[in-house]
Amino acid sequence: MTSPDIQAIREQVSQALIEDLGGELNAANDITANLIDADTQATATIITREPCVVCGVAWVNQAFALVDPNVSVTWHVNDGDKVDGDTVLVSLSGSARAILTAERTALNFLQTLSGTATTTAFYAHILSDSETKILDTRKTLPGLRMAQKYAVRCGGGQNHRIGLFDAFLIKENHIFSCGGIRPAIQRAKAMMPGAPVEVEVESIDELKLALEAGADIIMLDNFTNEQIQESVALTNKRSKLEVSGNITDERLASLSKLGVDYISSGALTKHVQAIDLSLRINIDSDK
């Protein structure tokens, strides 16, 4: 599974470390770690205390490499692996100071991205017996857009548009500002021929307008299950249909039976329940 560009990950982790180290990437600024003798060596493991889908390997690697490239990082799992609680994810060896300085930054990325991947895997499992795919949204944590969208892929979900630049998503305020659904869709197709054009609708009448105007994807916003069934029949595969709004765990199973192409949920990335991880360190008494 292709992860985001390594340079982008490096910059992201660097910024997180700078935030932790008083405005500069200087491990000497960790005053608590400086209580430990500089030549003290250690081994450590990171374990998960609960079942999860792992995501964040490259971010953890960068956290330790940026603090001390001599820290050895050995992974026992890969991104996308489903693991049980109390599983050792990674083993570390090197400077005790460096391991403890990088610890929190590494765990922050690993627990957050694994949380996103784990939630996505749960949703994807509910939909696994249908043709309906789970999509993420732009409701990501600031600065973590590419990371969380990668985590969604690790969990078995699919990415919606990455940002405001790669696909049209014409919503209520765009429709109002353009003078209606038809002119908004027409302008989008004229502006960037070939780019996906999606429009959000709030009623069956708006759905009909979007179909007539040639929308590629139509988002059914806060439709009831009965309205969704009517929309599927009316659309008859002339456009892809996406369901959004009020997507709960309990509702997913019923939605999967209605024949829509996609279900999008901001909860995958904005309601992140971080995975409970722990780093355990052992001092090497021989060094």
Side-chain angles (χ1 to χ4, degrees):
M1 188 176 303
T2 303
S3 64
D5 178 73
I6 192 65
Q7 183 57 36
I9 295 173
R10 184 179 182 86
E11 291 173 2
Q12 197 170 52
V13 175
S14 176
Q15 186 58 45
L17 286 167
I18 288 170
E19 188 175 53
D20 220 13
L21 291 168
E24 60 177 336
L25 187 51
N26 183 355
N29 290 347
D30 181 353
I31 60 176
T32 310
N34 285 340
L35 298 174
I36 304 167
D37 290 340
D39 60 352
T40 298
Q41 299 293 297
T43 59
T45 55
I46 295 176
I47 68 165
T48 175
R49 297 184 182 275
E50 59 183 316
C52 70
V53 175
V54 177
C55 182
V57 168
W59 286 263
V60 172
N61 290 344
Q62 283 298 310
F64 289 104
L66 286 167
V67 170
D68 182 351
N70 293 316
V71 172
S72 173
V73 182
T74 303
W75 285 92
H76 308 294
V77 296
N78 299 304
D79 283 341
D81 285 354
K82 295 180 179 180
V83 300
D84 296 325
D86 296 320
T87 296
V88 175
L89 305 180
V90 59
S91 299
L92 308 162
S93 64
S95 163
R97 281 188 179 183
I99 290 172
L100 294 177
T101 295
E103 172 187 4
R104 176 43 52 198
T105 294
L107 292 181
N108 282 350
F109 281 107
L110 188 59
Q111 69 184 15
T112 300
L113 299 183
S114 295
T116 297
T118 301
T119 299
T120 303
F122 174 68
Y123 280 33
H125 176 72
I126 295 174
L127 299 174
S128 60
D129 291 332
S130 74
E131 296 298 318
T132 305
K133 306 301 182 184
I134 189 71
L135 301 179
D136 54 23
T137 72
R138 286 172 48 244
K139 297 174 182 177
T140 51
L141 299 177
L144 289 181
R145 172 69 55 81
M146 298 303 294
Q148 283 194 289
K149 283 186 173 286
Y150 170 68
V152 165
R153 299 197 300 275
C154 286
Q158 294 184 8
N159 295 148
H160 207 283
R161 57 179 181 161
I162 301 301
L164 297 172
F165 61 92
D166 57 333
F168 291 98
L169 178 48
I170 302 168
K171 306 186 79 171
E172 179 183 15
N173 287 329
H174 302 104
I175 293 169
F176 178 79
S177 300
C178 290
I181 288 175
R182 181 180 295 277
I185 292 175
Q186 288 175 338
R187 290 178 189 178
K189 288 182 173 291
M191 182 185 300
M192 292 182 63
V197 178
E198 179 170 1
V199 62
E200 177 186 77
V201 301
E202 298 179 348
S203 68
I204 296 296
D205 286 341
E206 289 188 348
L207 169 68
K208 293 176 180 177
L209 290 173
L211 285 170
E212 292 169 2
D216 299 304
I217 308 171
I218 301 174
M219 179 190 292
L220 310 177
D221 183 41
N222 285 305
F223 276 39
T224 65
N225 283 18
E226 292 74 20
Q227 289 174 315
I228 293 169
Q229 285 180 307
E230 183 179 353
S231 299
V232 170
L234 182 64
T235 300
N236 194 26
K237 300 188 181 300
R238 287 180 288 166
S239 171
K240 299 287 188 181
L241 289 180
E242 175 185 335
V243 173
S244 182
N246 192 32
I247 305 302
T248 62
D249 301 353
E250 296 77 13
R251 194 179 177 212
L252 271 176
S254 65
L255 289 174
S256 72
K257 298 177 174 64
L258 300 182
V260 297
D261 300 283
Y262 307 112
I263 297 172
S264 58
S265 174
L268 301 180
T269 52
K270 71 185 180 80
H271 296 163
V272 182
Q273 179 65 51
I275 299 301
D276 187 6
L277 304 176
S278 177
L279 184 146
R280 298 173 177 174
I281 193 167
N282 291 292
I283 299 303
D284 189 342
S285 58
D286 295 333
K287 294 182 181 179

